Amino acid sequence: INCYVSGSVSGTDYIGGLSGQIASGTISQSYAVASVQGSGDHAGGLIGLLGSSIQNCYAGGSVNGNGRVGGLTGSAYGGSEITNCYAFAAVSGSTEVGGFAGYVETGEEGGMMSSATITAAFWDTESSGTTDGVGNTDPDVQGVSGKTNPEMQSASTFINAGWDFAGESTNGSEDYWDLDTGGEINGGYPFLDWENGTDTALPVELAYFTAEQKGGKVILTWCTETETENTAFRIRRNGEMIARIEGAGTTSEPQEYRHTDHYVIPGRSYTYLLADVNYQGKETKHSEVKVKVASLRQGSGGYYNIGTAYPNPFNPVTVIPLTLSKDATVRAMLYDLSGRPLQELQSGTLAAGSHDLKIKGANLSTGIYFVHIIVNDVVNVRKVVLMK
């Protein structure tokens, strides 16, 4: 009860956004908006294989499988009951694919004495990509209706079917459902009343976000005061997303983060934007920071910089950073103490920006090595130590 899932779920058979298979008990007032991927049979937005009861639940996202694929449940077997549920998940598969369920068992099949029953249920014929509510076409499957996207985002569709919407209950029962006509909550589809209560995620409270250029790169740091259902941060540079950093989920303790952008060109200015993404996939943008990367003062003509190998000593790999403010011809070779060439790290023209010269020590012995880096005929030497 009052459970939800987002993100992605994958496997072979019996794959569901909330549960792979349930044979007893009841799932109620819960939802899943996940990407569900099954390579076998029985894949559903909420449940893979149902043998019990679902009440007042919904599923979105996407569902893909081989056979018996449904927006809410992959399969519903004899004795299972589905009441006041809907699906708007995009569904795809090879056989028995339905916007609501892939397969629903009836009492006439296989000598079974009981049937699965569906009451006051719906699926979105547009977002699901199919006009078939149930993948197996038995005419005895009743209780589920296909609706267009506008109809699925109209409270009257569900109220007329007897659903308990906020302010609409006539039998004294609890209100389970609500709908935001502005579309801010759940994209305009009905949502469970508890979703908009004290359990609704709050945005990340950001203490600061700074950008500092140093040594031909930009170091981004930020700190949060609190985080609620924070999946990740997104960093955009001049409008393009360049990094995704895992968030802390839900915490009331300050959290510090750091990301280094190596791929900048000295002398140019950049604008960085930080955004957070909650469990429902909603992105909240924070303020921008601008920084200009200083022109390099090391190297011939001030147009390149060769950093320190890291790690050093190393095992099995180390990297020497190289930053260019303009295109240049770069040749880099690894030598042993006797002057014998061992590895060619780079040969040719590199574009302006940041690059990594990678040294692999898997086939080398413990010892001292030298790296000759020639930038436009100017020779630079770096020493590295391999320790196994």
Side-chain angles (χ1 to χ4, degrees):
I1 186 171
N2 291 17
C3 297
Y4 73 93
V5 173
S6 61
S8 61
V9 185
S10 63
T12 306
D13 299 312
Y14 314 114
I15 308 301
L18 184 68
S19 173
Q21 179 179 2
I22 179 170
S24 63
T26 300
I27 294 178
S28 64
Q29 301 170 61
S30 299
Y31 70 92
V33 285
S35 172
V36 179
Q37 179 72 44
S39 59
D41 297 331
H42 311 290
L46 192 75
I47 307 294
L49 179 63
L50 175 68
S52 59
S53 175
I54 308 177
Q55 301 172 357
N56 296 300
C57 295
Y58 72 87
S62 62
V63 189
N64 176 263
N66 180 45
R68 300 192 173 180
V69 180
L72 189 84
T73 181
S75 299
Y77 276 78
S80 59
E81 299 178 351
I82 303 174
T83 306
N84 292 14
C85 297
Y86 79 91
F88 63 95
V91 295
S92 59
S94 300
T95 60
E96 294 183 310
V97 179
F100 190 78
Y103 172 86
V104 175
E105 186 175 69
T106 67
E108 301 299 323
E109 298 177 351
M112 298 296 294
M113 297 302 295
S114 61
S115 302
T117 59
I118 304 176
T119 305
F122 303 91
W123 88 94
D124 190 320
T125 58
E126 297 180 41
S127 63
S128 67
T130 178
T131 56
D132 293 328
V134 179
N136 61 315
T137 56
D138 193 307
D140 292 332
V141 177
Q142 304 291 327
V144 58
S145 303
K147 300 292 182 181
T148 63
N149 188 265
E151 290 173 324
M152 290 292 292
Q153 297 185 9
S154 171
S156 62
T157 296
F158 305 91
I159 294 172
N160 292 339
W163 288 33
D164 294 319
F165 261 72
E168 298 292 339
S169 298
T170 58
N171 57 5
S173 62
E174 181 181 353
D175 294 331
Y176 293 125
W177 297 93
D178 206 341
L179 190 144
D180 175 21
T181 56
E184 291 295 324
I185 303 176
N186 200 28
Y189 288 98
F191 61 89
L192 292 160
D193 195 55
W194 62 263
E195 291 184 62
N196 200 34
T198 57
D199 293 307
T200 300
L202 300 174
V204 167
E205 184 179 356
L206 188 67
Y208 62 80
F209 175 48
T210 64
E212 177 188 11
Q213 71 84 24
K214 185 177 181 181
K217 55 185 177 288
V218 175
I219 301 172
L220 304 169
T221 56
W222 65 98
C223 177
T224 62
E225 296 288 356
T226 62
E227 297 179 36
T228 304
E229 298 187 352
N230 180 28
T231 299
F233 292 97
R234 293 172 179 167
I235 299 174
R236 289 186 174 87
R237 180 187 63 205
N238 294 350
E240 178 184 1
M241 194 173 95
I242 61 170
R244 181 184 185 277
I245 311 298
E246 293 295 322
T250 299
T251 177
S252 59
E253 299 294 327
Q255 304 291 317
E256 295 184 349
Y257 299 88
R258 179 187 178 101
H259 175 74
T260 301
D261 184 7
H262 295 279
Y263 302 99
V264 294
I265 299 175
R268 295 189 182 181
S269 296
Y270 297 90
T271 299
Y272 293 89
L273 172 69
L274 181 71
D276 65 76
V277 184
N278 67 12
Y279 289 174
Q280 288 74 41
K282 181 181 179 181
E283 181 182 85
T284 301
K285 297 179 180 179
H286 299 278
S287 59
E288 296 180 334
V289 292
K290 295 182 179 181
V291 61
K292 182 175 181 179
V293 182
S295 298
L296 298 174
R297 288 178 288 182
Q298 299 183 36
S300 176
Y303 62 85
Y304 71 87
N305 180 68
I306 301 173
T308 302
Y310 181 83
N312 193 22
F314 73 98
N315 182 28
V317 176
T318 188
V319 172
I320 298 177
L322 169 65
T323 305
L324 304 172
S325 60
K326 64 181 182 181
D327 296 357
T329 299
V330 178
R331 290 173 291 161
M333 182 70 73
L334 178 71
Y335 295 87
D336 61 16
L337 286 175
S338 65
R340 181 167 56 99
L342 301 174
Q343 290 181 19
E344 185 178 67
L345 311 178
Q346 165 64 31
S347 179
T349 301
L350 290 178
S354 297
H355 306 274
D356 291 333
L357 301 177
K358 184 178 294 185
I359 303 168
K360 300 178 181 179
N363 297 323
L364 301 177
S365 302
T366 296
I368 299 174
Y369 298 88
F370 293 96
V371 183
H372 287 213
I373 305 169
I374 305 173
V375 183
N376 286 351
D377 298 324
V378 179
V379 180
N380 304 265
V381 179
R382 294 291 186 271
K383 182 175 72 174
V384 294
V385 179
L386 175 63
M387 295 186 65
K388 292 187 174 182

